[in-house]
Amino acid sequence: MLLCLASMAGLTSLAQAQPVTLSSVQFSQDSISRDDPIYAVSFEVSLPAAFPRPARTAFVKLACSNTAMRVNGSDLDDFTARQQATLTKTSLSFAAFKASCVNGQLSVSHPQLLTWLVPKIDDLSDLGDATQYGHDAKGFAITVNRLNFAVAVGPYASTAFQRVGQTLKVVANSADVAVSLTQGRAKAQPLALGDQRLGPLALNAQQPFTLHLSRDNGENWQNVTVNLAQPSLVFWTSAQPGGPANPPFTF
């Protein structure tokens, strides 16, 4: 009896100590609306055996509209209980992981967030593809040294960036995508227009900055605020670069 209790206690402690594995952060547009995407963050969590349930992997996906956050996946009840997660209409948090959907902006943060977003690529030329294709596509992908990253702009387009010293430039861009940059209170500065490079622009990598991308002549802007120093990402769509999220829509 004591051996049995010890074994069960060991399984429980193993489950509590298991780290979170974030599989992807998706920054892409759904198949219905070209310029009003539903942002989502999805991840997998290993749930070791805890009698009477065998070991398995829980899949969790958070989709963000302007009014709420939808959560679906597998083993959600067990995941919530085992991770002591707090779930509300607009947020999910457990341990150091936090995700929220407020006013149409999806915000995700965790100390290991950028590590999880390093793609499995053979060459930097594949960085843009890593944001779009395959089951492990990452809407925001970044290299280990955090000097190169890419953002998906819909299902078939992406923009790749490179930090050089205290500057940021576009190194690859889709033909119809306009790109600009905001840091601090400065007005958005053009960075690229299709194949035309308008940068590089000054960048303080220790402070948050926001990228703005449009592929419909500036009628709608996809925004992503990046904080490299205290890893977090914020995604939303607006009528102006960095402006309020587009009018509410529901799932």
Side-chain angles (χ1 to χ4, degrees), residues 33-235:
S33 175
R34 169 187 168 99
D35 299 306
D36 206 4
I38 293 177
Y39 298 110
V41 54
S42 61
F43 54 89
E44 295 179 347
V45 179
S46 298
L47 300 177
F51 189 84
R53 305 192 69 178
R56 63 210 175 282
T57 298
F59 173 77
V60 182
K61 181 176 182 179
L62 315 174
C64 181
S65 76
N66 288 66
T67 56
M69 184 171 66
R70 180 179 60 190
V71 182
N72 56 29
S74 63
D75 290 295
L76 289 178
D77 290 342
D78 198 25
F79 153 75
T80 302
R82 298 274 287 276
Q83 297 292 335
Q84 298 182 336
T86 299
L87 177 63
T88 71
K89 182 181 178 181
T90 59
S91 66
L92 172 69
S93 62
F94 58 96
F97 178 86
K98 300 183 185 301
S100 66
C101 179
V102 180
N103 297 326
Q105 296 185 341
L106 174 64
S107 174
V108 184
S109 64
H110 188 278
Q112 298 301 313
L113 178 64
L114 299 182
T115 301
W116 291 331
L117 296 176
V118 174
K120 297 177 181 177
I121 56 176
D122 297 322
D123 187 270
L124 284 179
S125 61
D126 298 329
L127 186 59
D129 290 346
T131 66
Q132 302 173 69
Y133 305 108
H135 70 280
D136 195 34
K138 304 172 187 298
F140 184 95
I142 189 166
T143 53
V144 174
N145 61 12
R146 302 187 182 184
L147 294 178
N148 303 275
F149 53 90
V151 178
V153 192
Y156 304 109
S158 64
T159 300
F161 302 84
Q162 184 175 64
R163 290 196 295 124
V164 180
Q166 295 297 311
T167 65
L168 181 71
K169 65 179 181 179
V170 169
V171 293
N173 192 31
S174 297
D176 61 346
V177 175
V179 186
S180 59
L181 167 71
T182 298
Q183 186 164 48
R185 297 184 179 181
K187 183 179 179 180
Q189 303 175 74
L191 192 54
L193 180 60
D195 294 332
Q196 184 181 6
R197 304 292 178 258
L198 307 176
L201 296 175
L203 180 75
N204 180 351
Q206 298 303 309
Q207 299 295 326
F209 58 92
T210 304
L211 303 168
H212 317 283
L213 307 100
S214 175
R215 56 176 184 158
D216 61 359
N217 302 314
E219 292 186 16
N220 293 277
W221 292 86
Q222 298 179 37
N223 309 282
V224 53
T225 295
V226 183
N227 189 332
L228 298 174
Q230 299 177 349
S232 66
L233 296 170
V234 182
F235 305 97

Side-chain angles (χ1 to χ4, degrees), residues 4-19:
C4 180
L5 290 175
S7 297
M8 292 178 65
L11 288 174
T12 302
S13 63
L14 178 60
Q16 293 173 343
Q18 193 71 17

